[in-house]
Amino acid sequence: MRHLLSPLDFSVEEINDLLDLAVDIEHNPDKYKDACKGKKIATLFYEPSTRTRLSFETAMLNLGGNVIGFSDANSSSASKGESVADTIRLISCYADICAMRHPKEGAPLVASLHSTIPVINAGDGGHQHPTQTLADLMTIRSLKGRLDHLTIGLCGDLKFGRTVHSLINALVRYEGIKFVLISPPELRIPGYMKEEVLDANHVEYEEVSSLDEAIGKLDILYMTRVQKERFFNEEDYIRLKDCYILDMTKMNMAKPDMLVLHPLPRVNEIAVEVDNDPRAVYFKQVQYAVYVRMALILTLLNS
Ligand code: CP
């Protein structure tokens, strides 16, 4: 039995196979409509979500399976003090696979140690969000045609943004990747990401504060929201929340084939006027996420 807790749990070859399966699902959905008949996914969401929970549930329904779960820790027995370890033991009696989101880093790992079903990390604190990364990889591969030799700008909250951490972990394994890390000094990428991931893999990167100066050299711009829920101090959040706003003035400085991705939800960091630009692909990313989560459910249930 396998779990997905970090993007590194799958090799590059396994990720390529999974993306190939997702593309086949995209083009031949009928082939997979009964693939999980009689199976259930449990979505255990201790933290708010729109996309991740509903796309996992859509993925399982598209595969002919069923869904159980909760979308709020307060409506579960966690509110009475039940541990993640105990919860997963009983969920293992009800479901065949589960997706867990939790505000505490490492909670899905703890669950996996006590589980008899595959556990998927659907986001743990400011740590990792590996299935968002799979959606990001499918978006880039489908629309750019490759996952190598790209200059990728990651912009916004690089300190708390778990999608950024997972995406960097996944992309350092491809040839010719360069990162431009665009953030205010307070929201720079954590030191462990620089030392253990970027430097350890000899990946080229630069840290800058100006989106205007960086945008012209990017193949991909990955915008992120400032993660309000991770701040200890509201004043700091208010000061930093609008530090970057991508608008058409900035888009006009970008390459004609640069893609704009965002894991969503968006707050103010991308002006609505950008939505109509063909380079804005964040809503396509949402659709790719369903295919890739279908492929992941199939892969984990068959492993
Ligand atoms: N991208 C993402 O994780 O969105 P949700 O928080 O809505 O699941």
Side-chain angles (χ1 to χ4, degrees), residues 92-108:
S92 297
C93 302
Y94 304 152
D96 302 282
I97 187 166
C98 86
M100 175 182 285
R101 171 169 291 187
H102 203 287
K104 286 199 181 143
E105 303 185 355

Side-chain angles (χ1 to χ4, degrees), residues 28-206:
N28 306 291
D30 277 358
K31 202 166 123 187
Y32 297 92
K33 67 181 171 29
D34 293 322
C36 285
K37 204 169 177 171
K39 301 282 185 192
K40 290 194 268 310
I41 188 168
T43 51
L44 312 177
F45 277 62
Y46 295 81
E47 225 189 24
S49 166
T50 299
R51 270 148 299 274
T52 310
R53 184 174 65 82
L54 295 180
S55 69
F56 266 117
E57 296 185 357
T58 303
M60 190 49 136
L61 294 172
N62 288 350
L63 293 166
N66 286 299
V67 174
I68 59 170
F70 54 82
S71 57
D72 176 4
N74 290 325
S75 69
S76 79
S77 286
S79 63
K80 303 175 205 161
E82 185 166 67
S83 67
V84 163
D86 282 359
T87 300
I88 196 66
R89 282 193 186 102
L90 64 98
I91 293 294
S92 297
C93 302
Y94 304 152
D96 302 282
I97 187 166
C98 86
M100 175 182 285
R101 171 169 291 187
H102 203 287
K104 286 199 181 143
E105 303 185 355
L109 169 65
V110 171
S112 73
L113 300 175
H114 299 275
S115 179
T116 57
I117 59 173
V119 175
I120 300 168
N121 179 0
D124 60 331
H127 186 217
Q128 297 279 348
H129 194 344
T131 64
Q132 179 64 50
T133 296
L134 295 175
D136 302 340
L137 296 180
M138 184 172 182
T139 306
I140 296 170
R141 201 183 80 158
S142 298
L143 301 178
K144 271 280 178 212
R146 65 185 192 280
L147 288 170
D148 51 20
H149 298 95
L150 292 166
T151 299
I152 299 171
L154 300 158
C155 179
D157 185 348
L158 310 187
K159 179 177 180 183
F160 297 118
R162 58 193 174 200
T163 60
V164 166
H165 304 161
S166 284
L167 187 58
I168 291 175
N169 263 294
L171 282 172
V172 294
R173 299 189 290 180
Y174 294 86
E175 290 262 317
I177 292 292
K178 293 181 200 163
F179 291 110
V180 184
L181 305 174
I182 308 155
S183 73
E186 298 92 329
L187 297 179
R188 288 214 168 125
I189 198 112
Y192 78 88
M193 286 292 302
K194 285 193 243 179
E195 288 147 30
E196 295 171 25
V197 184
L198 292 164
D199 294 339
N201 286 283
H202 311 290
V203 173
E204 201 177 314
Y205 71 94
E206 57 181 313

